[in-house]
Amino acid sequence: MLRHYRMFAAYNRWANAQVYAVAAELSDAEFRSDRGAFFGSLHRTLNHLLVADRIWMKRFTGTGDAPSTLDVVLYEELDALAAARKAEDERIIAWTGTLDDASLAANFTYSPVTQPIEITQPLSPALAHLFNHQTHHRGQCHMTLTALGKPSLQLDLIYFLRGEGREWM
């Protein structure tokens, strides 16, 4: 599983870079246009993904900022958001590089942002959720981009593995 999670961390960085590259070609109005995704616009969805990653990484590592709501806009401007995304992706890659089998199996305890309860669970399924959550909302980013008339992105893991991610094959 360690290699699998490290592959997902690298894929996550690659897929985010694809989305942000297309986002950089949008007008500000397009970037902020509500196209029916859960968080509305590409702007708000990309902010949510960063928010969620920061929340989970704070839970996992005990360090970093963790917003207190899931819909907070951390960055109004795409350039600042993109820089923060890149830094968070590198943080995730570095952290997954420190994991071992015992840490994946170990329990950790956290309180969800949406409920004042404590949850204790093994790290491994929570880490799987981090990557699955990214994929879920990147799909909404893809839908938003195509609704804006932009070309469909090829974000499937297999495209990463056939190109930049060949080391994971």
Side-chain angles (χ1 to χ4, degrees):
M1 287 307 297
L2 287 171
R3 182 169 166 77
H4 187 78
Y5 288 133
R6 290 173 183 151
M7 175 193 66
F8 272 141
Y11 163 73
N12 191 57
R13 175 182 57 191
W14 173 84
N16 284 334
Q18 306 308 306
V19 172
Y20 275 83
V22 176
E25 298 172 6
L26 299 176
S27 69
D28 190 61
E30 289 172 320
F31 181 57
R32 295 172 193 282
S33 173
D34 187 333
R35 295 297 170 153
F38 189 86
F39 289 92
S41 66
L42 189 60
H43 170 246
R44 293 186 65 78
T45 302
L46 292 176
N47 266 281
H48 168 71
L49 281 169
L50 183 60
V51 164
D53 281 0
R54 286 184 174 177
I55 290 169
W56 279 106
M57 288 300 289
K58 172 78 176 201
R59 291 171 181 165
F60 295 155
T61 69
T63 63
D65 295 325
S68 60
T69 62
L70 297 174
D71 62 351
V72 66
V73 172
L74 298 173
Y75 297 95
E76 284 294 339
E77 302 306 319
L78 178 60
D79 289 347
L81 180 59
R85 174 76 267 165
K86 188 173 185 175
E88 197 66 27
D89 287 342
E90 294 304 324
R91 179 180 179 216
I92 293 167
I93 288 169
W95 176 71
T96 58
T98 70
L99 298 175
D100 58 23
D101 289 329
S103 58
L104 286 179
N107 285 340
F108 76 109
T109 300
Y110 65 95
S111 293
V113 170
T114 58
Q115 300 176 29
I117 61 172
E118 280 196 351
I119 296 176
T120 299
Q121 69 178 83
L123 175 62
S124 187
L127 184 54
H129 167 74
L130 174 94
F131 296 121
N132 188 64
H133 181 260
Q134 276 279 342
T135 300
H136 165 68
H137 284 294
R138 266 195 308 267
Q140 292 178 349
C141 292
H142 178 270
M143 177 277 306
T144 300
L145 290 166
T146 57
L148 289 166
K150 304 305 175 191
S152 183
L153 295 175
Q154 293 184 340
L155 296 175
D156 289 333
L157 176 63
I158 199 67
Y159 292 113
F160 166 72
L161 294 173
R162 291 175 185 163
E164 186 177 308
R166 285 191 179 127
E167 71 183 273
W168 302 106
M169 299 267 280

